[in-house]
Amino acid sequence: MKVYMGEEEIIKKNMALAQEKIYTTEFIEELPEDVRAEVIDGQLFYMASPTATHQRLLGFLHGTIWNYIREKKGRCQVYPAPLAVYLNKDHHTYLEPDVILVCDPGKMTEKGCYGAPDFVAEIVSPSTQSRDYLLKLNKYQSAGVKEYWILDIRKKTIHVYDFENERKDTYDFADKIGMKVLWGLEIDFSEFDAP
């Protein structure tokens, strides 16, 4: 085969791309229970163990939402990580958001949520920052998530994306934030003892 000038680099590049592995939800499901990972459009991302502050914030957020739903006798269910979200009902995206709220019980099975939760919260860590702010933001919006919160402990900021109304607001850890999906719930982040 005759290779013309410049074609050699193109061939090498295409061969490398062809050899890149595409991961599926089946791969994730076969991992040992103590290994956490996500797949986004076939790309694999291992997840580090969360910090104690991350877990306290997750517990605060989950507990506040859970108590509100219980008090109001609501039909929605809130789940903390780790719980599988098969976001696009395909084999190439598997996520474990920190907190999800699901108001359609038909989306839930014992394995997790199939389709878009109504609400998703991700607590940023240095290793997940680019995924939370870029990849996941786009995935959640295109899949039909109504509301997405990104909580950044280091910057003490909370970005609230109201996808239904095409609105983004930024708050800090001294603010009260109203959830759009659970009308009437205001979460007072000044009650969270951030370091």
Side-chain angles (χ1 to χ4, degrees):
M1 175 174 119
K2 185 173 181 178
V3 177
Y4 296 93
M5 192 187 314
E7 282 187 345
E8 188 173 329
E9 289 101 38
I10 293 170
I11 292 169
K12 283 181 186 176
K13 193 180 223 181
N14 285 334
M15 286 176 66
L17 286 173
Q19 292 172 0
E20 187 177 306
K21 184 170 173 113
I22 303 297
Y23 291 89
T24 64
T25 57
E26 288 81 13
F27 176 84
I28 294 287
E29 291 168 350
E30 292 174 6
L31 289 173
E33 284 187 25
D34 61 336
V35 177
R36 290 186 59 208
E38 295 180 314
V39 172
I40 302 173
D41 294 329
Q43 286 188 288
L44 180 67
F45 300 94
Y46 285 102
M47 300 167 69
S49 295
T51 65
T53 304
H54 177 285
Q55 292 304 91
R56 283 191 312 105
L57 181 55
L58 184 148
F60 171 79
L61 185 60
H62 173 263
T64 304
I65 296 169
W66 188 88
N67 284 330
Y68 181 82
I69 293 169
R70 184 170 168 248
E71 178 185 302
K72 299 295 183 187
K73 297 180 177 24
R75 65 179 180 86
C76 300
Q77 294 291 317
V78 62
Y79 301 90
L83 183 72
V85 174
Y86 300 87
L87 191 62
N88 300 114
K89 298 182 184 179
D90 65 18
H91 295 285
H92 299 290
T93 300
Y94 170 103
L95 300 168
E96 290 185 4
D98 289 307
V99 176
I100 65 169
L101 178 78
V102 180
C103 297
D104 176 359
K107 290 183 178 181
M108 294 303 301
T109 71
E110 281 303 305
K111 284 179 73 174
C113 178
Y114 286 81
D118 295 273
F119 169 86
V120 173
E122 294 281 10
I123 300 169
V124 173
S125 67
S127 65
T128 66
Q129 186 170 310
S130 64
R131 288 197 309 271
D132 294 336
Y133 281 105
L134 299 171
L135 276 177
K136 290 184 180 181
L137 172 71
N138 291 323
K139 291 300 289 181
Y140 292 141
Q141 184 175 21
S142 65
V145 170
K146 295 174 184 170
E147 190 171 352
Y148 176 44
W149 290 16
I150 302 175
L151 298 91
D152 193 322
I153 297 169
R154 289 182 309 135
K155 295 179 182 175
K156 295 186 175 17
T157 58
I158 302 156
H159 301 281
V160 174
Y161 295 87
D162 176 0
F163 293 136
E164 287 191 312
N165 296 305
E166 298 179 358
R167 184 180 166 107
K168 178 198 175 225
D169 294 298
T170 301
Y171 301 91
D172 63 38
F173 276 62
D175 291 328
K176 282 185 182 177
I177 305 173
M179 279 185 72
K180 315 301 184 272
V181 174
L182 284 179
W183 191 85
L185 172 60
E186 280 194 332
I187 301 177
D188 186 353
F189 280 89
S190 68
E191 294 178 359
F192 174 71
D193 184 25

